[in-house]
Amino acid sequence: MSLITRWIQLVRGQSRWTVISIPYLWMLLFFAVPFLIVLKISFAHKVVAIPPYTDLLEFVDQAVVMKLNLTNYFQLWADDKYWSAYLNSIQIAAVSTFLCLLIGYPMAYVIARLPSTTRNIALMAVILPSWISFLIRIYAWMGILQTNGLLNKFLLGIGLIDTPLRIMNTPTAAYIGIVYAYLPFMILPLYSNLVKLDFRLLEAAYDLGARPWKAFLTITLPLSRRGIVAGCMLVMIPAVGEYVIPELLGGPSTRMIGRQLANEFFVAGDWPMASAVAIVMLLLLMIPILIFNRMQAKELEGRLA
């Protein structure tokens, strides 16, 4: 074997390991390291210093001693306000995800059935609002949902209501904001799944006498299951930890865990407690991710069998 051939094989082998190592390096830098830092802070004590927490490792009598403070987690377990924030976050995220699915599925289905030229325009209409700053769009919703905002003026104008509705600073405003902000994350995975659907299956079902709703329930819905799961995860996971929308639209009555976490960090200055809140929230979010991965692994095993 010539030296050139050996060199080419060596480069190919290194390229393969380079390609494999990039995602692991990414996960190490942007997930594992920040997670370990936050986990470390969650076991510390709050102090008035810079940084505002104690070290875990101390040098005492020529020995290194590790002190793990579990008070933050016990307090998290005992205090009802944290439980309330977690449950409210899950409830708001679940309802918002369901609403996104109800609105997003028909939109994705219609876009997938459009001609290719019109389809691209429709997709651009879904993506285009995301080009504007997220904060500016939420501020725009504040103007729409105010008591003297555009929505109340419209409803008063058509005679549907006699007095302006109070929508701002209520959970309803938070639902509207979250559904609006995360709707594209539901539409796009559904569209990518539905556009691959073989519509000849539906035509065959119609030829055999199936009604449209039965063809949808027995063919379209099962075949789009992966898009539904992916869309629900893309909406629900970030919605659980949402902070900006509940803060600007929901008001004090909308208590979510992202807001509680920000209060611990920036108002109370209790970094260890805030880190404990973040760790528990992350563990809660890991549950749907593990379920999704398990479903994908089962499907892959079924295909290979």
Side-chain angles (χ1 to χ4, degrees), residues 45-222:
H45 286 278
K46 175 188 173 185
V47 292
V48 182
I50 298 175
Y53 54 86
T54 57
D55 290 327
L56 293 188
L57 300 177
E58 292 184 5
F59 191 72
V60 180
D61 296 333
Q62 298 183 348
V64 177
V65 179
M66 177 181 282
K67 292 184 178 178
L68 295 180
N69 172 35
L70 299 177
T71 311
N72 299 317
Y73 289 97
F74 286 131
Q75 186 179 344
L76 201 63
W77 177 266
D79 199 331
D80 289 341
K81 72 177 179 183
Y82 297 109
W83 281 103
S84 172
Y86 280 120
L87 292 176
N88 279 339
S89 297
I90 293 171
Q91 178 191 340
I92 290 175
V95 173
S96 301
T97 303
F98 181 66
L99 293 175
C100 280
L101 182 61
L102 280 184
I103 300 170
Y105 197 101
M107 292 178 68
Y109 186 83
V110 170
I111 293 172
R113 299 295 299 265
L114 289 174
S116 58
T117 52
T118 316
R119 187 188 304 162
N120 293 334
I121 296 172
L123 280 176
M124 184 62 72
V126 172
I127 299 170
L128 206 58
S130 304
W131 293 7
I132 303 171
S133 165
F134 174 76
L135 203 57
I136 291 175
R137 286 183 284 143
I138 298 304
Y139 272 117
W141 273 105
M142 290 174 70
I144 294 171
L145 300 177
Q146 291 281 359
T147 307
N148 58 350
L150 292 176
L151 181 60
N152 272 318
K153 286 180 180 176
F154 173 74
L155 294 176
L156 287 168
I158 62 174
L160 198 62
I161 57 174
D162 297 325
T163 56
L165 299 173
R166 182 178 174 273
I167 304 174
M168 267 299 293
N169 297 324
T170 64
T172 305
Y175 282 120
I176 292 172
I178 291 174
V179 170
Y180 162 75
Y182 291 103
L183 188 59
F185 296 99
M186 179 65 78
I187 292 175
L188 294 178
L190 280 170
Y191 162 77
S192 66
N193 185 273
L194 289 169
V195 78
K196 299 173 188 170
L197 182 66
D198 189 352
F199 290 102
R200 290 176 299 179
L201 295 173
L202 295 176
E203 293 173 2
Y206 297 148
D207 290 342
L208 293 172
R211 294 180 181 275
W213 63 268
K214 191 169 185 180
F216 173 77
L217 290 177
T218 54
I219 297 174
T220 308
L221 194 60

Side-chain angles (χ1 to χ4, degrees), residues 236-286:
M236 185 161 182
I237 290 174
V240 170
E242 181 60 53
Y243 167 70
V244 174
I245 294 173
E247 179 71 18
L248 295 181
L249 299 181
S253 60
T254 308
R255 178 177 293 177
M256 292 183 70
I257 198 61
R259 192 173 186 177
Q260 188 65 40
L261 195 151
N263 287 339
E264 297 291 347
F265 259 117
F266 301 113
V267 180
D270 193 347
W271 287 29
M273 190 65 212
S275 300
V277 172
I279 291 294
V280 173
M281 183 176 72
L282 184 62
L283 293 177
L284 286 176
L285 294 179
M286 289 294 287

